[in-house]
Amino acid sequence: ELYRVKRATLDADSDLAVAVGVMAENHQAYAQAISGATGLGAADAAQSIVDEGRAAFGGSDDEFFAAAHVLEQTLVATHVEALAAYDSSDAISLTTSILVIEARHATVLADLLGVNQSSILFGNDQSALSLSGAE
């Protein structure tokens, strides 16, 4: 939803609108895949993230790039941390396929923000989200 907020502020034919649209579609696909694998919906857990990020995602391009970079890095950290708890090879495969794309998103967003430090482009200093009720 946050990527759709940003996309609505852009010229639909711009390169940025296309990239943001792809990121939105990727996240929708992740939610559907996770929901299908677990039988759980993401709506309740994600709503607080959407509420907190709406202003930045709808703001200037630089505000969006910064907020989206933090979000992607947080999601990567969350998935990496969750991997240690999985017993299922299917869960591990799904999660790693998602986190690789999220890491790519983060790198692209940092580059668009003008970051040129390798430690930021390819590192991650964000903390994982607390996944209550997850097993």
Side-chain angles (χ1 to χ4, degrees):
E1 186 173 333
L2 288 171
Y3 287 101
R4 288 186 178 97
V5 167
K6 180 59 180 176
R7 191 160 192 270
T9 70
L10 301 170
D11 173 7
D13 296 327
S14 71
D15 290 343
L16 182 55
V18 172
V20 170
V22 167
M23 290 180 190
E25 290 169 9
N26 286 342
H27 283 276
Q28 181 68 39
Y30 308 156
Q32 290 169 346
I34 292 168
S35 179
T38 64
L40 302 172
D44 293 337
Q47 193 58 52
S48 65
I49 294 170
V50 170
D51 292 343
E52 291 173 16
R54 188 176 302 279
F57 273 68
S60 72
D61 287 352
D62 283 348
E63 289 173 316
F64 162 72
F65 297 147
H69 180 262
V70 168
L71 175 63
E72 294 293 344
Q73 292 289 66
T74 300
L75 295 173
V76 168
T78 302
H79 288 305
V80 167
E81 186 174 290
L83 282 172
Y86 294 158
D87 293 326
S88 164
S89 61
D90 290 341
I92 292 168
S93 294
L94 174 59
T95 302
T96 55
S97 71
I98 291 169
L99 76 85
V100 167
I101 301 303
E102 288 172 336
R104 287 180 182 171
H105 288 176
T107 301
V108 168
L109 291 159
D111 183 60
L112 289 170
L113 192 55
V115 171
N116 60 10
Q117 296 173 317
S118 294
S119 63
I120 296 172
L121 285 170
F122 303 109
N124 190 348
D125 62 357
Q126 296 301 312
S127 298
L129 296 170
S130 174
L131 301 176
S132 62
E135 296 187 37

